[in-house]
Amino acid sequence: MDFINFLTNNTGTIVEYTGNHFTLVLQAVSVSLVIWVPVGLLLTKSDKWAARVLSLANTIFCIPSLSMFAILVAIPGFGLGRKSALFALVLYAMMPLIRNVHVGVKSVDRNVIEAAKGMGMSTGRIMREILLPLGMPIIFAGFRITVVMTTGIAAIATYIGERNLGRFISEGLVRSNTPMMVTGALIISVIAIGLDSILGAIEKRIVPRGLRI
């Protein structure tokens, strides 16, 4: 009953926080795809640089999210708010996107590539028609991981001024308000599961059955 009362008495705030949370996730994922997918493709050309960049990505990924947000807030030009939150989420997306793009392309059988070269296909055409389609299952898996991960980490951005669903959890803990905490956690879970389900349906359409992970 307390949970229902909280939902009915705070509908406007719930809608506002849900919208803010969703837009932050959407912005972070969109920027990450634009930046890290091309980087992952470029790294397939050099194993040396791939090792260096992936090592950097792993190091960034190991930094606790609250520490990352605190570091960015202290940097001039970032401060409290969405700019720091967005930058941190894009950095965290670096590891799963670059790694999966790199592994997906590199996992394609070299014999297939050599056969394409023998047929006179250009490097760009091989990338578009062979490497990307055959590597798509692994690449898409990295995309799904990034979306779910970003949805969860975005909640912690509430500690640097983001008015999103994480605020229900943080304030609920302070006030010992269980309905408030459950509301935040439940909606975040629904968003993550919903987005992953949508991406799963898209994957079934764009990835042939025999190539799905």
Side-chain angles (χ1 to χ4, degrees):
M1 183 61 69
D2 291 339
F3 177 68
I4 301 299
N5 289 335
F6 180 83
L7 291 178
T8 55
N9 294 332
N10 298 275
T11 303
T13 305
I14 292 172
V15 172
E16 177 191 353
Y17 287 3
T18 301
N20 291 341
H21 199 105
F22 186 79
T23 55
L24 176 58
V25 171
L26 184 62
Q27 289 173 0
V29 172
S30 299
V31 173
S32 298
L33 287 175
V34 171
I35 297 175
W36 303 131
V37 170
V39 171
L41 293 176
L42 286 174
L43 292 177
T44 60
K45 307 297 183 182
S46 172
D47 291 338
K48 181 175 68 174
W49 277 103
R52 292 174 178 174
V53 175
L54 287 173
S55 177
L56 174 63
N58 287 333
T59 300
I60 293 174
F61 195 76
C62 290
I63 300 175
S65 52
L66 193 56
S67 299
M68 176 72 81
F69 288 129
I71 292 171
L72 291 176
V73 167
I75 298 176
F78 285 93
L80 295 172
R82 175 146 300 193
K83 186 182 294 185
S84 294
L86 182 60
F87 192 80
L89 293 174
V90 171
L91 287 179
Y92 279 121
M94 180 181 182
M95 195 277 287
L97 282 178
I98 289 181
R99 177 176 293 277
N100 280 57
V101 170
H102 181 265
V103 172
V105 172
K106 282 292 191 178
S107 65
V108 177
D109 192 338
R110 298 295 100 182
N111 292 327
V112 176
I113 300 174
E114 292 301 323
K117 290 180 179 179
M119 296 172 61
M121 294 181 67
S122 65
T123 302
R125 190 178 174 191
I126 291 175
M127 178 65 73
R128 292 192 307 272
E129 299 183 12
I130 296 177
L131 295 179
L132 285 178
L134 293 180
M136 187 56 67
I138 298 176
I139 295 172
F140 210 91
F143 179 39
R144 293 176 66 175
I145 291 171
T146 299
V147 170
V148 174
M149 177 195 70
T150 302
T151 303
I153 297 178
I156 303 176
T158 187
Y159 290 103
I160 60 170
E162 266 294 306
R163 295 174 58 83
N164 61 20
L165 294 169
R167 181 158 295 192
F168 283 139
I169 299 175
S170 62
E171 292 187 1
L173 288 169
V174 173
R175 303 178 187 180
S176 297
N177 188 326
T178 301
M180 182 181 289
M181 289 186 290
V182 171
T183 298
L186 185 61
I187 298 177
I188 291 172
S189 301
V190 169
I191 292 175
I193 294 172
L195 290 176
D196 187 63
S197 299
I198 293 172
L199 292 176
I202 295 174
E203 183 179 11
K204 290 181 179 179
R205 287 185 172 274
I206 68 175
V207 178
R209 182 185 297 272
L211 294 178
R212 293 177 201 159
I213 298 178

